[in-house]
Amino acid sequence: MYAYNRCVRTTDGGPCRHPLLPVLATSLTLGIGGSGGVFAPSLFIGAMVGAAFGEVAATVDPALHGQVGAFAVVGMGAVFAGSTRAPITAGIMLFELTGDHALVLPVVVAVVIATAVSKVLARDTVYTLKLSRRGVDLTDSALAVRRSSGRTAGGAARPLGPVVSRAASAADALAALESGGGAPVVVLDADGHFAGVVSARSAGDAVLTDVEFAARPVTDVLSDVVPVRSDAGLDTVVQDVVDASDTAGLPVVDEDGRPVGWLGQADALRALVLAR
């Protein structure tokens, strides 16, 4: 930044002749999307503002005369913390630069206040603003502000696969698994309500641990599965569907608990991609 270098590198080593140029140059450069240093300008601007505040405070209270350097250090930490939202880094850095224990408390108070004010006034920092302009959101509220797809679990579900009654045996469930190509088998009670799911993994574990597997009721080989409501938003259930590793998806039930379809992992992800 030309103006910043012009100010801090005077030919005669004297004080800055144009104290407002660094502020103007830094603001314009970052405001129009240009690339430039942020670290050194923020320290200089903070020192300048802090020193100016110290001069004003000294005129009000003569006891503060000669403390301009301390005010400048506190201002450096406050501006740096506010622009980067890194209060711990600002506090440690200023303490390492000065080595003055007496400044620890005012620096900590200043950087905390500056960070809080920065969060209220702006959503991004000077380092994340460019990414936000490109559509990359790194803030804590990135997930909260993400646009909903508007799709429901029922709208993205595919028809049910193999189905057996709750009165069936484990052997019947295994036969349904084989006929369905290994697709999970949905178990229904006598009223047609969802009663569970038999997956290849749950059936395989039962076969390996029990020689009397064929005679066991189907309820003994159910997977630990919780169905999703058909009217639930796809955005809210997609994580549960992806995490269902045993069944590679979840059954979808209506408001009465009757299965209306199956929401596979690929089904949910494909629906989200098409919706966006």
Side-chain angles (χ1 to χ4, degrees):
M1 292 181 180
Y2 171 76
Y4 173 75
N5 293 331
R6 175 77 175 177
C7 182
V8 297
R9 296 179 182 177
T10 55
T11 56
D12 57 0
C16 178
R17 298 173 180 171
H18 308 286
L20 295 181
L21 282 182
V23 179
L24 182 61
T26 303
S27 301
L28 288 177
T29 302
L30 298 179
I32 64 178
S35 296
V38 176
F39 178 74
S42 66
L43 294 181
F44 179 82
I45 294 171
M48 185 176 64
V49 174
F53 181 81
E55 291 286 357
V56 174
T59 60
V60 176
D61 186 359
L64 297 176
H65 184 71
Q67 302 296 323
V68 175
F71 281 100
V73 171
V74 174
M76 291 169 64
V79 173
F80 177 77
S83 60
T84 62
R85 291 187 197 152
I88 297 178
T89 301
I92 294 176
M93 179 188 66
L94 267 298
F95 176 71
E96 290 180 346
L97 288 176
T98 62
D100 190 351
H101 294 275
L103 291 177
V104 172
L105 182 58
V107 167
V108 169
V109 173
V111 299
V112 170
I113 294 176
T115 304
V117 172
S118 174
K119 286 187 175 181
V120 172
L121 296 180
R123 186 164 171 268
D124 295 289
T125 69
V126 291
Y127 291 114
T128 62
L129 182 58
K130 279 190 176 183
L131 293 175
S132 294
R133 289 172 176 172
R134 297 175 182 176
V136 180
D137 195 349
L138 299 179
T139 61
D140 295 338
S141 58
L143 294 179
V145 301
R146 184 173 297 169
R147 182 173 58 88
S148 174
S149 66
R151 297 290 300 273
T152 62
R158 64 174 184 263
L160 280 176
V163 176
V164 297
S165 169
R166 188 172 185 173
S169 64
D172 297 331
L174 183 58
L177 277 171
E178 293 175 349
S179 63
V185 177
V186 176
V187 181
L188 305 179
D189 62 13
D191 297 325
H193 296 95
F194 174 78
V197 173
V198 178
S199 66
R201 175 172 294 183
S202 64
D205 291 342
V207 169
L208 294 175
T209 57
D210 189 357
V211 294
E212 300 295 334
F213 166 80
R216 294 173 61 179
V218 70
T219 53
D220 288 350
V221 294
L222 297 179
S223 292
D224 186 13
V225 171
V226 177
V228 297
R229 287 279 299 268
S230 59
D231 56 354
L234 189 58
D235 304 76
T236 63
V237 302
V238 63
Q239 189 63 54
D240 295 333
V241 174
V242 172
D243 290 340
S245 57
D246 285 357
T247 56
L250 293 175
V252 180
V253 298
D254 60 16
E255 58 184 7
D256 296 324
R258 291 183 171 85
V260 295
W262 183 269
L263 184 59
Q265 295 170 338
D267 303 323
L269 296 177
R270 185 183 304 110
L272 281 180
V273 171
L274 294 177
R276 298 184 189 281

